[in-house]
Amino acid sequence: MNPESVKNSQNISPAIRVGVLGFGGLGQAAAKVLAGKREMILVAVADQKGFAYAAEGLDIKECIATYQSQGSVGYLEPVGTLTNNSIQDLIDTQQPVDGYFLALPNLPNDFIPSVAKQFIAAAWQGVLVDAIKRTSAVEQLLGMKEELQAAGITYMTGCGATPGLLTAAAALAAQSYAEIHKVEITFGVGIANWEAYRATVREDIGHMPGYSVEAARAMSDAEVEALLDKTNGVLTLENMEHADDIMLEVAGIVGRDRVTVGGVVDTRNPKKPLSTNVKVTGRTFEGKISTHTFTLGDETSMAANVCGPAFGYLKAGQQLHQRSIYGIFTAAEIMPQFVK
Amino acid sequence: MNPESVKNSQNISPAIRVGVLGFGGLGQAAAKVLAGKREMILVAVADQKGFAYAAEGLDIKECIATYQSQGSVGYLEPVGTLTNNSIQDLIDTQQPVDGYFLALPNLPNDFIPSVAKQFIAAAWQGVLVDAIKRTSAVEQLLGMKEELQAAGITYMTGCGATPGLLTAAAALAAQSYAEIHKVEITFGVGIANWEAYRATVREDIGHMPGYSVEAARAMSDAEVEALLDKTNGVLTLENMEHADDIMLEVAGIVGRDRVTVGGVVDTRNPKKPLSTNVKVTGRTFEGKISTHTFTLGDETSMAANVCGPAFGYLKAGQQLHQRSIYGIFTAAEIMPQFVK
């Protein structure tokens, strides 16, 4: 009995066949999260230099070991293919994949939208999920609504931690209020070693005063290292361009100018410098001003708070897709479904 | 220009026509919440002795004043009707109502399911929302899934505060974890005057050690008063039969035995004796044990935390209904939609 048929015998529905695009820190964490799930199997992975596909499920440990030792899952025998056009070539295999998690860095800003366009152009149908950060990127994707709808794609955007889990918590908290005054997201991230999350740390630097995402992207590892030395490894981020704002605006909850995102990232300590939280302040129908707070446990990593929700939204997206509900949805509109 | 056409000119969709069944503390609060909404209008109210219906929207202040002075909205001229069979007679008018909020006390335990059956028998189609508390009542309703589906009704159950807002927050918080160990809901309620929430306080007493819901229901006001005198107005409730447990189980998040609900109700003080919160403890994919916490602002009343979410779920239910998605859904599965 192969792993998939074992899974299938335990569930009424067959396991959801998942692909992960991007295999840096986030993509590898996503694969590890999937290793513990019965309801999903990882069938496809693509990185910059290749891809791997296995209908019965990839060996996740092997994928990670091969990527780390050789630089690409394309070296995996016999399931890997080396190519500089990995996402396109993976799509072109036309192997069945129910949904993809786009664990891709979004530099340049239109990279993830351009990947979505590749799926549309290939007439692929299924669920796409991103954990994109920036407002302008989500805005571009929201503009593709009709295209995605016509293509039969259910696209779930902003489905990581922030935006994602915390945006959804804000949307939920808003229900108690007649009017929302402000939504404040403050995150604390502790990572033992910034090199495991190079792309994410560069995105964070891109949000610091005096930097741009392009400038951060162009920084060498040594330059990043030098910057971190000056700040003792701590990055303090304020008024970040995070898509939580547009997502809450589109959901009709609050104008984007009332949503702020900031945080403190310690790149040299796995302990979080503060507890990640979202505060929603509003006025109740009786005229009382109050604040609901959703706080993440300090022991939960960025990887857990991003990848868990992302797959929860992928499962929710799959349910929408099965009902022929296509287009684009944000984490603030849909309840993620727990993946066992 | 009548109020409805004003509303319609401000929105692409017409206002959702809402009925409120039950006009005690909760029903009246629901009406007050609706008074501040553009996207919904209150067109129908039923209490034990009558009902009122107005296609262009009821005058909410007048409804409350009439109920409080004369004991029924049925006395309202010319929109009221006096009847001892108010819910059935309201349904039988066949006036267009998009969704009903069942702001009804659920004693006996099958009362709300029996109301749902009346809607099914009348071939009514639309959205029904309850803020029911007990597991056994939600269980009965979940058993009516096929019946509701066949009838073209979208029924949203457990959509108050707990179950409801806090259950949804637990479902959301669960996303960070590979496995959920426990969900603990602890509520604090402060009400200045228990007499405004007679039915709710009796339900709470029904959950205290040594009492049953039937016994609590049979208590006279003087007996409730005497009990409250003994406890200085404070009711401490543990291991309550709250449907949060079955809702989280049905959503595939955690077995019902891992969900506990308890709280402290001060019936003589509007200040909450503790901040209402839900704690979700689990294990992440990396093996870390942690706890996410969602805490409600102390200034938010039970009425705000129940009625706001209930209408948020009604709006979400309306969107499902428009897509011909019928049956029964719990607050843990669907994201409530903010009502402006």
Side-chain angles (χ1 to χ4, degrees), chain B residues 79-99:
Chain B
V79 296
T81 303
L82 289 163
T83 158
N84 289 322
N85 206 13
S86 62
I87 295 175
Q88 186 65 56
D89 290 352
L90 170 57
I91 300 172
D92 288 346
T93 62
Q94 301 196 12
Q95 296 287 0
V97 178
D98 298 309

Side-chain angles (χ1 to χ4, degrees), chain A residues 318-330:
Chain A
Q318 158 93 344
Q319 292 173 359
L320 294 174
H321 197 264
Q322 282 170 341
R323 292 180 185 273
S324 306
I325 299 174
Y326 312 132
I328 185 161
F329 302 90
T330 81

Side-chain angles (χ1 to χ4, degrees), chain B:
Chain B
M1 226 185 217
N2 71 31
E4 195 179 20
S5 63
V6 171
K7 281 163 199 270
N8 294 356
S9 71
Q10 290 168 345
N11 293 287
I12 298 159
S13 335
I16 299 171
R17 295 163 297 187
V18 175
V20 171
L21 303 186
F23 212 55
L26 188 60
Q28 290 174 49
K32 287 180 196 164
V33 166
L34 287 177
K37 304 290 187 193
R38 293 192 311 275
E39 295 181 333
M40 289 186 174
I41 48 168
L42 180 67
V43 296
V45 168
D47 57 46
Q48 282 187 300
K49 297 179 197 156
F51 69 87
Y53 178 87
E56 74 286 4
L58 290 162
D59 182 321
I60 288 163
K61 281 188 187 165
E62 206 175 45
C63 286
I64 292 171
T66 302
Y67 180 85
Q68 290 182 347
S69 62
Q70 297 181 263
S72 174
V73 294
Y75 289 101
L76 277 165
E77 290 288 353
V79 296
T81 303
L82 289 163
T83 158
N84 289 322
N85 206 13
S86 62
I87 295 175
Q88 186 65 56
D89 290 352
L90 170 57
I91 300 172
D92 288 346
T93 62
Q94 301 196 12
Q95 296 287 0
V97 178
D98 298 309
Y100 282 97
F101 174 37
L102 314 187
L104 298 162
N106 194 41
L107 300 170
N109 209 11
D110 61 353
F111 180 54
I112 288 181
S114 77
V115 170
K117 283 186 205 297
Q118 282 178 271
F119 280 97
I120 294 171
W124 180 84
Q125 298 203 328
V127 182
L128 299 176
V129 178
D130 72 45
I132 218 167
K133 282 190 182 169
R134 272 171 293 150
T135 305
S136 47
V138 167
E139 217 158 13
Q140 282 180 44
L141 286 161
L142 291 174
M144 292 169 62
K145 182 179 174 179
E146 268 94 55
E147 251 178 293
L148 289 161
Q149 225 155 21
I153 290 174
T154 305
Y155 193 109
M156 314 294 288
T157 190
C159 296
T162 161
L165 181 58
L166 295 178
T167 333
L172 201 54
Q175 303 298 321
S176 297
Y177 299 97
E179 184 184 55
I180 303 305
H181 295 165
K182 58 181 175 178
V183 176
E184 293 170 278
I185 293 172
T186 312
F187 61 80
V189 174
I191 48 182
N193 173 9
W194 81 273
E195 288 166 334
Y197 293 94
R198 287 167 202 263
T200 303
V201 168
R202 279 198 173 75
E203 276 223 53
D204 287 342
I205 292 173
H207 290 109
M208 288 173 68
Y211 291 83
S212 69
V213 284
E214 289 69 27
R217 187 186 168 210
M219 286 169 80
S220 67
D221 282 5
E223 285 170 325
V224 171
E225 203 69 71
L227 169 67
L228 293 175
D229 276 342
K230 276 198 274 184
T231 63
N232 203 20
V234 173
L235 304 174
T236 301
L237 312 160
E238 280 174 24
N239 288 315
M240 296 178 73
E241 188 205 334
H242 258 228
D244 307 83
D245 60 357
I246 190 174
M247 288 160 62
L248 291 169
E249 183 172 285
V250 166
I253 292 166
V254 65
R256 67 179 81 182
D257 54 312
R258 303 290 187 97
V259 181
T260 59
V261 179
V264 181
V265 181
D266 190 336
T267 61
R268 294 178 180 174
N269 193 338
K271 189 171 154 35
K272 293 187 184 186
L274 57 86
S275 297
T276 299
N277 69 83
V278 54
K279 289 183 189 295
V280 177
T281 300
R283 180 182 52 77
T284 69
F285 77 102
E286 301 118 321
K288 296 281 170 62
I289 310 291
S290 193
T291 301
H292 287 354
T293 309
F294 181 66
T295 309
L296 303 185
D298 282 350
E299 302 81 4
T300 58
S301 63
M302 185 178 67
N305 290 320
V306 170
C307 298
F311 290 122
Y313 283 106
L314 198 157
K315 184 175 170 185
Q318 159 92 346
Q319 292 174 357
L320 294 174
H321 197 264
Q322 282 171 341
R323 292 181 185 271
S324 306
I325 298 174
Y326 312 130
I328 185 161
F329 302 90
T330 80
E333 295 169 87
I334 304 289
M335 183 67 75
Q337 302 297 311
F338 193 70
V339 184
K340 283 181 278 197

